[in-house]
Amino acid sequence: MLVTKLKETSSFSAGANAVNGMVVCTQPRRISAITLARRVNEELGCPDEPGGQHSLVGYQVRLDRAVSSSTRLLYCTAGVLLRKLQVEPEQHTVTHIVLDEVHERSVQSDFLLLLLRLLRRRRPDLHLLLMSATADCTKFSSYLGHCPVVSVPGRTHPVQSFYLEDVVEACGYTLNSGSSYGVEAAIEEADSLEKIEATQSECQVVPETSEGLDKSQYSARTLNTLNSMNQEKVNPQLIVKLLQHIGSKATKGLASGRASGHKNIATRKGTMIGACKKLNPHQG
């Protein structure tokens, strides 16, 4: 799928370059825009980094910009494109706009889609492309005047689902008394009776009245840990324990994790590096 997208992007870039236009591709996150710009720049064989005079690729996100007069393919966030539309509503230099990951909807992305639909009426020469692997294409097509839908066949791999209770049971994880990731810590942070009651109902992942969970499959330790765990707070200790468990069982492979926002990614990075060093202390 990625190779197909890169080839399509390359052809668009060549076409835009021929008419001295620009292709704009939005991403839901800053780090995605920057990473994809660097990857596509490498795939196109540009001698410079994104934004260089000999590179067709650039990116623009909040507080960071790599664009030059040679840029023909610009990766940016939805917020940046909204700002561009505010400054220049017609965007005459843009020939193609690609909205990637349109299923990750937000106020900005929905408002951007509305503005682009209005812009298409004034600029029929503007090519608008929406890309997603999971979105309901019928709804988006209907919203944009029943535009064509192109499906790219892909290959799926068998996936086995494990839930929080399965992870806690497999890893042998136990929540320490007084842990900041427990319900008690969340209750202590609440400053009113209403918040305490809400915290008690929201933080417990598997309360004693839970339905649909076969408790006979899990140990008392696992059930106690789940009942005292704060669901609303990411627990890096459990993630490290899971990585150690995977490393002890798997002979090869890759573990991938997701975090929302650049700050959360940076915060988790040190924890994950430490876990990896414990898994393989001889590797730098």
Side-chain angles (χ1 to χ4, degrees):
M1 189 65 172
L2 176 60
V3 175
T4 302
K5 288 183 179 180
L6 289 173
K7 289 180 179 178
E8 292 176 353
T9 304
S10 302
S11 63
F12 284 143
S13 179
N17 190 31
V19 298
N20 199 29
M22 181 177 291
V23 179
V24 176
C25 181
T26 66
Q27 294 294 321
R29 288 169 293 275
R30 297 169 55 196
I31 190 170
S32 301
I34 297 174
T35 303
L36 279 173
R38 291 171 177 169
R39 173 64 185 275
V40 174
N41 184 73
E42 179 182 349
E43 291 286 336
L44 291 176
C46 299
D48 287 351
E49 290 293 316
Q53 288 297 326
H54 299 285
S55 173
L56 295 173
V57 186
Y59 64 83
Q60 184 173 351
V61 298
R62 185 170 60 91
L63 303 179
D64 195 1
R65 184 174 185 269
V67 182
S68 70
S69 58
S70 302
T71 301
R72 295 295 178 266
L73 174 58
L74 176 68
Y75 283 91
C76 66
T77 56
V80 169
L81 184 53
L82 281 173
R83 179 59 178 170
K84 287 180 173 292
L85 289 169
Q86 183 181 13
V87 175
E88 186 186 350
E90 301 303 317
Q91 289 294 306
H92 290 294
T93 59
V94 177
T95 59
H96 299 74
I97 295 180
V98 183
L99 305 183
D100 199 4
E101 308 291 356
V102 291
H103 60 273
E104 297 192 23
R105 296 180 58 185
S106 64
V107 174
Q108 283 188 337
S109 65
D110 284 0
F111 187 52
L112 176 60
L113 195 58
L114 170 62
L115 293 180
L116 292 177
R117 184 176 71 162
L118 297 175
L119 178 59
R120 273 279 300 157
R121 296 175 182 175
R122 303 191 305 269
R123 279 199 56 197
D125 62 310
L126 177 65
H127 297 275
L128 179 61
L129 297 94
L130 278 61
M131 294 198 301
S132 173
T134 59
D136 186 345
C137 299
T138 305
K139 290 184 177 180
F140 282 97
S141 176
S142 176
Y143 181 74
L144 295 172
H146 300 282
C147 63
V149 176
V150 179
S151 298
V152 179
R155 182 180 59 179
T156 58
H157 299 271
V159 176
Q160 186 177 0
S161 298
F162 294 94
Y163 298 94
L164 182 60
E165 54 267 22
D166 302 316
V167 172
V168 174
E169 180 76 17
C171 297
Y173 176 75
T174 302
L175 191 68
N176 297 328
S177 177
S179 171
S180 59
Y181 304 104
V183 177
E184 294 180 358
I187 293 176
E188 291 177 0
E189 295 175 358
D191 55 7
S192 67
L193 179 60
E194 291 79 7
K195 288 185 178 181
I196 291 176
E197 293 175 348
T199 300
Q200 288 176 324
S201 62
E202 292 176 0
C203 289
Q204 287 185 336
V205 181
V206 186
E208 294 181 358
T209 58
S210 175
E211 297 181 0
L213 178 65
D214 186 358
K215 296 182 180 180
S216 63
Q217 297 183 1
Y218 305 99
S219 64
R221 173 194 54 77
T222 295
L223 296 176
N224 290 334
T225 299
L226 291 171
N227 279 316
S228 59
M229 186 180 295
N230 183 354
Q231 181 186 14
E232 302 299 315
K233 197 170 186 178
V234 177
N235 188 339
Q237 296 174 356
L238 179 57
I239 297 175
V240 170
K241 197 78 173 179
L242 176 59
L243 287 175
Q244 292 173 335
H245 175 73
I246 294 174
S248 65
K249 299 294 183 182
T251 57
K252 62 179 180 178
L254 175 67
S256 176
R258 295 193 66 179
S260 59
H262 187 271
K263 183 178 180 181
N264 284 336
I265 293 174
T267 302
R268 308 281 181 251
K269 181 179 178 180
T271 306
M272 297 302 102
I273 291 177
C276 291
K277 288 183 177 179
K278 290 182 179 180
L279 293 173
N280 192 350
H282 302 292
Q283 184 174 359

